[in-house]
Amino acid sequence: MSDHRPILLANRAFYVAFGSADFAAMDALWAQRSPVSCVHPGWGALFGREQVMRSWKAILGNARPTDIVFSNPAVQRLEDIALVLCTERVFASELCATNTFVLEDGAWKMVHHHASPVTTSEPRHIVTMPVGLN
Amino acid sequence: MSDHRPILLANRAFYVAFGSADFAAMDALWAQRSPVSCVHPGWGALFGREQVMRSWKAILGNARPTDIVFSNPAVQRLEDIALVLCTERVFASELCATNTFVLEDGAWKMVHHHASPVTTSEPRHIVTMPVGLN
């Protein structure tokens, strides 16, 4: 768990930036050197820092800030890469997110975000891995 | 491009196994030692080999095989981890997939699959990274 704490904090920072529409914070938490990509709910894939950050600028620039909370983060560690899967609740809709982070200069930086609506009652959130702070 | 060829072949093997409902092939292409997870369209997250493979057994066991093709694979390489983002067409619906692979004993093995429907006409498939074989 303590091993995963910095990763979970990076994941939380993403949702804090998202929910508070803080573009500077959002920009800072994405990787600078590693390639990045993003799949917003219902969208196709965006590649590269320019396109990804342009999408965040548009989303965070909405007149109405996004009402978003996350829960049940689970860390999947792969060497110096970490996936955090978690549940998002956005304006009362439930989504499932995969957030991928890489270690850059000792800090966990986001390289990929993929969020999609949960529409079935199939088994979900069957978290068998260590979960951590929200 | 040549650097990405084994990754793209692993990605293609996933869709061949999926489309031909070949559970043994699907089982073989998922990592054995690394942690795995999966987000099917509309589902929440599944964790661990047992849950993930149980879901594939159910999906591939459907009476009607899945009519699935993929296109526009783009590789995002992060050390010995690789993400492949691509478009899926499933029974005429368009989805966006993130497929994550790890090197295990020199072979690229799947550790995560996240697929979600594309429902907007927002910018998509703006592939600015090298793309490869289908």
Side-chain angles (χ1 to χ4, degrees):
Chain A
M1 169 56 217
S2 58
D3 189 36
H4 290 161
R5 192 177 174 87
I7 300 164
L8 290 163
L9 288 171
N11 189 65
R12 180 162 61 178
F14 167 74
Y15 288 103
V16 170
F18 196 163
S20 58
D22 184 340
F23 178 75
M26 179 62 80
D27 187 74
L29 62 83
W30 280 79
Q32 290 293 339
R33 293 192 304 276
S34 302
V36 301
S37 61
C38 189
V39 183
H40 296 293
W43 293 36
L46 301 174
F47 297 98
R49 221 176 187 287
E50 189 184 330
Q51 285 177 8
V52 171
M53 295 322 301
R54 193 188 307 144
S55 74
W56 283 114
K57 188 150 228 165
I59 290 167
L60 301 183
N62 285 341
R64 183 182 174 203
T66 303
D67 175 19
I68 184 167
V69 293
F70 76 103
S71 59
N72 293 335
V75 175
Q76 184 178 351
R77 181 77 182 265
L78 306 160
E79 303 167 21
D80 283 349
I81 311 295
L83 278 62
V84 181
L85 277 73
C86 60
T87 302
E88 298 178 350
R89 188 162 290 278
V90 181
F91 296 122
S93 294
E94 185 176 331
L95 295 96
C96 180
T98 301
N99 298 318
T100 304
F101 299 89
V102 64
L103 262 182
E104 268 191 4
D105 304 323
W108 289 99
K109 296 293 184 176
M110 184 167 264
V111 286
H112 177 70
H113 167 73
H114 189 155
S116 58
V118 176
T119 55
T120 80
S121 56
E122 290 291 335
R124 52 188 191 173
H125 317 310
I126 307 171
V127 179
T128 58
M129 298 168 67
V131 298
L133 64 173
N134 262 12
Chain B
M1 169 56 215
S2 58
D3 189 36
H4 290 161
R5 191 175 176 87
I7 301 164
L8 290 163
L9 287 172
N11 188 65
R12 179 162 61 178
F14 167 74
Y15 288 103
V16 170
F18 197 162
S20 57
D22 185 341
F23 178 74
M26 179 62 80
D27 187 75
L29 62 82
W30 281 79
Q32 290 292 339
R33 292 192 305 275
S34 302
V36 302
S37 61
C38 189
V39 183
H40 296 293
W43 293 36
L46 300 175
F47 297 99
R49 219 177 189 287
E50 189 185 329
Q51 285 177 8
V52 170
M53 295 322 300
R54 194 188 307 143
S55 74
W56 283 114
K57 188 150 228 165
I59 290 167
L60 300 184
N62 284 340
R64 184 181 173 204
T66 304
D67 175 19
I68 185 167
V69 293
F70 77 103
S71 60
N72 294 336
V75 175
Q76 183 178 350
R77 180 77 183 264
L78 306 160
E79 304 167 23
D80 283 349
I81 311 295
L83 279 62
V84 181
L85 278 73
C86 60
T87 303
E88 298 178 350
R89 188 162 289 278
V90 182
F91 295 123
S93 294
E94 186 177 329
L95 295 97
C96 180
T98 302
N99 299 317
T100 304
F101 298 88
V102 64
L103 261 182
E104 269 192 0
D105 303 323
W108 289 98
K109 296 293 183 177
M110 184 167 266
V111 286
H112 176 72
H113 168 71
H114 188 155
S116 58
V118 175
T119 56
T120 80
S121 56
E122 291 290 335
R124 53 187 190 175
H125 316 309
I126 308 170
V127 178
T128 56
M129 299 167 67
V131 298
L133 65 174
N134 262 12

